[in-house]
Amino acid sequence: MSLNDSLANTNQKAKQVSEKFFHTSYEYYKLKIFQQLTTSFGIVFKTLFIGSLLIIGLTFLAIALAFLIGKSLGNYTQGFLIVGGGFVLLSIIAFMLRKYMSNFIISKLSEKFFN
């Protein structure tokens, strides 16, 4: 066996190993992307579903509270104004805390996404 034959054989083996490595890496990353996409879509779907049910429930509770406050004050308009003002106040607080909420969401999603 000559040196050229030995080098050609080594090159062919290296080529086969590198092709196998590339194919295996490609399949791994394809599966990893699929896992991340399904996890992300699952989180989004569950969040939207639970959030929409929560919004419906909070809407009914807010209306009931407005009627209750309005009945006790003798004026339903004032009850709705008080409940509406409470929601505006909560919105202002949430707006002021938006950076903390963003950081919390990013940290929680990064744990799910990168692990």
Side-chain angles (χ1 to χ4, degrees):
M1 181 181 253
S2 70
L3 183 59
N4 285 337
D5 291 339
S6 178
L7 285 174
N9 191 19
T10 304
N11 284 341
Q12 189 168 356
K13 285 182 181 179
K15 183 180 176 185
Q16 289 173 347
V17 168
S18 65
E19 286 175 354
K20 184 178 178 184
F21 175 76
F22 175 76
H23 180 70
T24 304
S25 296
Y26 174 75
E27 291 298 319
Y28 169 76
Y29 284 113
K30 200 165 85 170
L31 286 172
K32 187 70 173 170
I33 290 170
F34 177 75
Q35 177 204 16
Q36 297 302 328
L37 284 174
T38 54
T39 301
S40 298
F41 285 131
I43 289 170
V44 169
F45 177 76
K46 287 186 281 187
T47 302
L48 288 176
F49 181 72
I50 293 169
S52 63
L53 292 176
L54 184 64
I55 287 173
I56 291 169
L58 286 174
T59 301
F60 280 107
L61 286 174
I63 292 170
L65 181 64
F67 276 118
L68 182 68
I69 293 171
K71 185 177 180 181
S72 67
L73 294 175
N75 187 346
Y76 289 117
T77 305
Q78 288 178 348
F80 279 93
L81 287 173
I82 290 171
V83 171
F87 279 115
V88 169
L89 181 64
L90 287 174
S91 299
I92 291 170
I93 292 170
F95 180 77
M96 292 188 325
L97 297 174
R98 69 187 181 279
K99 290 181 184 178
Y100 298 108
M101 289 188 286
S102 295
N103 290 338
F104 177 76
I105 291 169
I106 289 170
S107 69
K108 289 300 178 183
L109 286 179
S110 65
E111 287 175 13
K112 294 275 187 190
F113 193 78
F114 292 112
N115 290 330

